[in-house]
Every structure is written in C-alpha cells, then in structure tokens.
Amino acid sequence: MAHKQAARQLLGKHPLQRLPSPSRGASAVLHTIGLASFAYSFNYLVTHPNPVNESYGWHLQYLTIIGLSLATTTFAIGLLADLTLSHRLFQMKNILSVASAPMECLISLLYWGLRAIDPKLVMPEWAPPLEFSADLSFHAMPAISLVVDLLFFSPPYTIAFLPALGLSGVIAFGYWFWIERCYQFNNFYPYPIFDLLDTTQRVGLFAVSALLMTTATALLVWLYALVNGKDMEDVVNGDLKKAKSGNVKGQ
C-alpha cells in the first residue's frame, strides 16, 4: 500500500480527480473567478443598503449570506492551496466543501423554488428588488462554482449518510436558533415565509431543509461517481469500509 500512496502523491491528485489541484493553472483560475463573484456579492450589500444593514446580525441573518461566507472561506483556502501548492490547505478546502457545496445547493433550491411559487416568500416588501446580476451572484454562482470545484478539482466525498445528516441538522437548527435570537432584537424575520409559519411549522421546515441538504450531499456523491467513476481499486482492496467512515481528505 505504501508504494500506491507514493504513486498517488507523485500524480499530484486523487485517481478519480479529473484535473490537478492544488494547481496554479485551471484550479487557481476557478477559485479566483469564484472569489471575484463572491466579492461582488458582498460589495453589493454595502453599496445597496437596506434596513438589514443596521439591524442585529447584519445580513448574516440570511442563510444566503451565511452560505456565501462559507463558500468564500472554502475558495479562499483553495486559492491559497493553489498558490502555495500546499496539500494541507487542499485538505482543509475539501473538508469545508463537504458543508459548503451541499449547503449552497440547498440555498439555490429553496430560493428559486420558493421564488417560483411567490417572490414575497423570500423577499420582504420593504426590500428593494435585486438586480439580475446580483441575484445570480447570490443564489446561483456559489452553488455552480462549488459543484464544478468538486467534480473536477477535488477527490470524491466519502462522508457516510449519518454524519451527513448530523452535519445538515446542526446547520439547519443552528440557523433556526440564530434567526430567533435576531428576531428578539429586530422584531422581524429575514425571510417573510417565517412569519407565515408557527413554531411547529418552522421546526418542520428546518427538519425538511436538513433532509434536503443530506439529499444534496448524496446527489453530489452520485454525480461525482457518474462524471468521474468509482475507485474500484479501493473496493477490491477492502478499503470501502474506511471510505465510508467520513474521511474527506482524499487520502
């Protein structure tokens, strides 16, 4: 096994990883483009202020902005890994991706789905409408960038179902407790849909969101295998159990 691990390190990437990363080539370009889009989104919040700018919790009351912050951290570490060719930073990026990519997929699904039903469910009446470019930057580009990074510049996820469900549950209900605290100070919810639900219904909404995020993780695992194949060598060598233990470093 030692010679196989050495060979993988010489290749500079996981056997299923399509393109080299960390790399000062295409990987660095992707992370730079992603960070430029994320910076545009944050700048938009400052240059187009609304009452949320002065409220408790700032725009971090929005799951969209929390997800954007996590995506920014993921890509910033990814770019640092590209520039320094640091495998340790690359591992950190991959670990963060396990949370940030499914979370951004969930955000895009919920936002565009609820908006298709009724825009007033996600946009308060007092909030100015988003410009189209900003709407895409907030609610589409993070998910697209992270999925592309996973499919072409990362090793496969190997997180099992229960850890994925636990992670999703912590994020979903952690966010619920956060917005309830913000409500105590601001007397409004960031998303109008929360005003339409009672406590029991909100619990149901966050539970469903946790399940959807877990499903997003499973779909990303499936999509990765569809695009890149499966590491049959690990299965033959009896490493499948190890792969399902939650190791996400691509080792």
Side-chain angles (χ1 to χ4, degrees), residues 39 102 117 122 154 166 171 196 202-203:
I117 297 172
V122 290
S154 304
I171 292 174
L196 303 177
R202 280 196 286 271
V203 171

Side-chain angles (χ1 to χ4, degrees), residues 116-139:
I117 297 172
D118 186 351
K120 293 180 180 180
L121 293 175
V122 290
M123 293 294 293
E125 294 183 355
W126 46 261
L130 286 175
E131 297 176 6
F132 181 69
S133 59
D135 213 358
L136 291 180
S137 181
F138 282 118
H139 302 111

Side-chain angles (χ1 to χ4, degrees), residues 204-227:
L205 175 63
F206 287 110
V208 170
S209 297
L211 289 175
L212 286 175
M213 183 172 166
T214 306
T215 302
T217 304
L219 287 175
L220 289 174
V221 171
W222 172 82
L223 185 60
Y224 190 101
L226 182 67
V227 172

